Amino acid sequence: MNGDVLLTCPDLGLPLVHRGKVREMFDLGDRLLMVATDRLSAFDVVFPTGIPGKGRVLTELSVLWFRATESIVPNHVVTTSVAGLGLRPEHEALLAGRSVVVRRARRIDVECVVRGYLAGSGWKEYRQTGAVCGVKLPAGLSLNARLPEPIFTPALKNDVGHDENVTLDEVARRFGQETAFRLRDLSLALYRFAAERAERAGILLADTKLEFGWDGDRLILIDEAFTPDSSRYWPVERYRVGEPIDSLDKQPIRDWAEASGWNKEPPAPPLPPDRVAETAARYRSVLERLRPVLS
Ligand SMILES: Nc1ncnc2c1ncn2[C@@H]1O[C@H](COP(=O)(O)OP(=O)(O)O)[C@@H](O)[C@H]1O
Ligand SMILES: [Mg+2]
């Protein structure tokens, strides 16, 4: 069963709290069982074809990063063991390696994005305004340029539709200045740590998205950490300024989708097997490159 692609969790006998694009969260009282499926989304739409191994890669990588960053900020991980939850043996096998029992947090609805390089929506906004989320940048920067300093470029989480880039001031207005500053400082510290570790493995961490929540009165890191779904990873040897870089994530799917003529509205088309295999290999390669610098 472990080799199978998991698109949707079967009925585990636990109440489903939330089905996200990739993860399913089950109610364990003050904890949640977080299951990473092999679903893939692009342009905020989930594809009907899964990526073999993806859920396990996301889970192992996140747990490695959560452990490595514990001294910077506590996180939601309780255990990766699914024993003792009263699950049926076949469900335990299905969930092994793709599940984490986590502390249920009160999520702060901000995507804490940090950028070390000018790519993606950051590049688009910079070209139009010379700034990203209100952070003014030097003039004349090119696509993928390394920024003088990593910058915090938050976005409001929208459960429907796309996330909305905002300034730090807007985060402060909504969540309080103290919380806003802590989110910024922690995100920047986590990014610096992860970017330095990733460089040791020959990968540049161009940008990343983090989520935080309240565990009682304690601010903790939740969701996933520095996976190819939440981060833009570039192999050092492919880095160049002024041209797009083929990143170590779902880029083969994005490129295929752009060329296919699909209008990016649901339902998404099934994915061709060669793109699925290439994407699975990229996710695996990130894990394999990072494991030695994180273990
Ligand atoms: N410890 C936690 N407590 C509460 N909510 C969490 C926790 N960790 C993650 N979440 C939320 O669970 C969901 C994970 O599912 P995912 O498939 O990643 O969703 P999305 O489609 O929003 O990215 C996200 O909405 C995330 O904010
Ligand atoms: Mg998510």
PDB file of all heavy atoms in Angstrom, residues 23 209 223-224, ligand 2:
ATOM      1  N   ARG A  23      -3.538  18.868   2.020  1.00  0.00           N
ATOM      2  CA  ARG A  23      -3.612  18.130   3.282  1.00  0.00           C
ATOM      3  C   ARG A  23      -5.045  17.939   3.756  1.00  0.00           C
ATOM      4  O   ARG A  23      -5.913  18.750   3.450  1.00  0.00           O
ATOM      5  CB  ARG A  23      -2.830  18.870   4.364  1.00  0.00           C
ATOM      6  CG  ARG A  23      -1.362  18.840   4.088  1.00  0.00           C
ATOM      7  CD  ARG A  23      -0.557  19.634   5.101  1.00  0.00           C
ATOM      8  NE  ARG A  23       0.830  19.538   4.717  1.00  0.00           N
ATOM      9  CZ  ARG A  23       1.347  20.179   3.683  1.00  0.00           C
ATOM     10  NH1 ARG A  23       0.609  20.989   2.981  1.00  0.00           N
ATOM     11  NH2 ARG A  23       2.613  19.989   3.353  1.00  0.00           N
ATOM     12  N   LYS A 209       7.151  30.546   2.185  1.00  0.00           N
ATOM     13  CA  LYS A 209       5.921  30.978   2.859  1.00  0.00           C
ATOM     14  C   LYS A 209       5.795  30.207   4.164  1.00  0.00           C
ATOM     15  O   LYS A 209       5.918  28.976   4.179  1.00  0.00           O
ATOM     16  CB  LYS A 209       4.731  30.672   1.939  1.00  0.00           C
ATOM     17  CG  LYS A 209       3.396  31.121   2.418  1.00  0.00           C
ATOM     18  CD  LYS A 209       2.628  30.116   3.236  1.00  0.00           C
ATOM     19  CE  LYS A 209       2.321  28.809   2.542  1.00  0.00           C
ATOM     20  NZ  LYS A 209       1.625  27.835   3.428  1.00  0.00           N
ATOM     21  N   ASP A 223       1.612  24.347  10.003  1.00  0.00           N
ATOM     22  CA  ASP A 223       1.467  23.971   8.597  1.00  0.00           C
ATOM     23  C   ASP A 223       2.681  23.177   8.122  1.00  0.00           C
ATOM     24  O   ASP A 223       2.968  22.135   8.667  1.00  0.00           O
ATOM     25  CB  ASP A 223       1.203  25.228   7.754  1.00  0.00           C
ATOM     26  CG  ASP A 223       0.544  24.900   6.430  1.00  0.00           C
ATOM     27  OD1 ASP A 223      -0.422  24.122   6.440  1.00  0.00           O
ATOM     28  OD2 ASP A 223       0.999  25.404   5.396  1.00  0.00           O
ATOM     29  N   GLU A 224       3.381  23.656   7.106  1.00  0.00           N
ATOM     30  CA  GLU A 224       4.537  22.933   6.577  1.00  0.00           C
ATOM     31  C   GLU A 224       5.732  23.882   6.602  1.00  0.00           C
ATOM     32  O   GLU A 224       5.551  25.090   6.723  1.00  0.00           O
ATOM     33  CB  GLU A 224       4.265  22.470   5.145  1.00  0.00           C
ATOM     34  CG  GLU A 224       3.994  23.599   4.173  1.00  0.00           C
ATOM     35  CD  GLU A 224       3.640  23.101   2.771  1.00  0.00           C
ATOM     36  OE1 GLU A 224       4.108  22.030   2.365  1.00  0.00           O
ATOM     37  OE2 GLU A 224       2.891  23.816   2.079  1.00  0.00           O
TER      38      GLU A 224
HETATM   39 MG    MG B   2      -1.012  24.652   2.312  1.00  0.00          MG
END
